[in-house]
Amino acid sequence: MPVNPSTLARQGYDRWDLCAEFGIDEENANYKALRSAYEDLPEDPYAVGSGRYRRYARGVFLPWSKEFHWMPPTESQAREGMNGYYQGDNNPEYVNVTRDLPAISEEVCNNKLLTDIVQFDYSQTRWSEDDSVWPLYVGVHLIKLHIGEEGREAVSSPNELHQDGEPYVFAHLIYRDNAEGGANLIATPEYRGKQPEDVPPTDRLADFQMERPLEAYAITDDLVSHYVGPIRKGSAERPGERAILLADWVPMRHRI
């Protein structure tokens, strides 16, 4: 019997409140542990001075058993504490570049909330008959935008409407603090490479701000383009921060 398409697979995007989905709040021990993992994120080595900090890990999800396993790094990446991330030509800032990014620690990878998020994300995806009998590659990114100076911005990559080249991409807000900006825009695909002001109201499929911990959204890459705006420091004396967990999903079957 065919599987009914999810809202995500049908319309190209969807949004959730995972605190409500999981029945937890900010006092949950696994949430607090995951949040603390953002305290020591290193600066993105490919975007020094951008205000972007990150770690990355790679996993494999088996659709037939719903098992998720983390993949090991290469020997050289293990020595340097890195994991490789490759987007082909989908990110215009890093065309055909494998970025060796600081690895997520084993302790954080084993956080139950993180693995519950991976399972939830899978439940929203839909795959072809062929893809569903191959492993799925899952890239998990811990990304923090941090800005401490008035009049400056911390930016995401790429800083334009784009498509990622991965069939599904999920974004989960871990926290935001004293941050202004960071609005999300989802538009029709032809606005890839454009700026938000280039998108007329009729082609803006969703325009929203994530404010609460574990708010989430996802996109079906070939159906939409999407954008997240830079953040600025708010009115308080402390720096402004916006922390996100991204998960991208790619089928591993051979393309002929």
Side-chain angles (χ1 to χ4, degrees), residues 49-141:
S50 70
R52 189 164 64 247
Y53 297 75
R54 70 190 305 166
R55 292 188 183 275
Y56 177 64
R58 306 169 300 180
V60 174
F61 193 97
L62 307 180
W64 53 90
S65 63
K66 297 183 173 55
E67 295 176 76
F68 177 67
H69 303 277
W70 293 106
M71 294 169 57
T74 66
E75 288 186 15
S76 61
Q77 289 168 342
R79 286 195 302 271
E80 298 167 6
M82 298 289 188
N83 280 315
Y85 177 50
Y86 180 72
Q87 283 185 288
D89 62 357
N90 288 285
N91 188 328
E93 297 177 6
Y94 307 103
V95 175
N96 296 324
V97 173
T98 297
R99 285 178 278 170
D100 286 330
L101 300 174
I104 301 175
S105 72
E106 182 177 358
E107 178 183 4
V108 174
C109 284
N110 291 332
N111 182 292
K112 185 177 184 301
L113 176 57
L114 193 160
T115 54
D116 284 349
I117 287 173
V118 170
Q119 291 285 345
F120 175 85
D121 290 357
Y122 170 75
S123 73
Q124 304 303 316
T125 64
R126 298 294 183 267
W127 303 94
S128 70
E129 183 179 0
D130 288 334
D131 286 337
S132 65
V133 296
W134 280 80
L136 302 171
Y137 179 99
V138 187
V140 175
H141 312 248

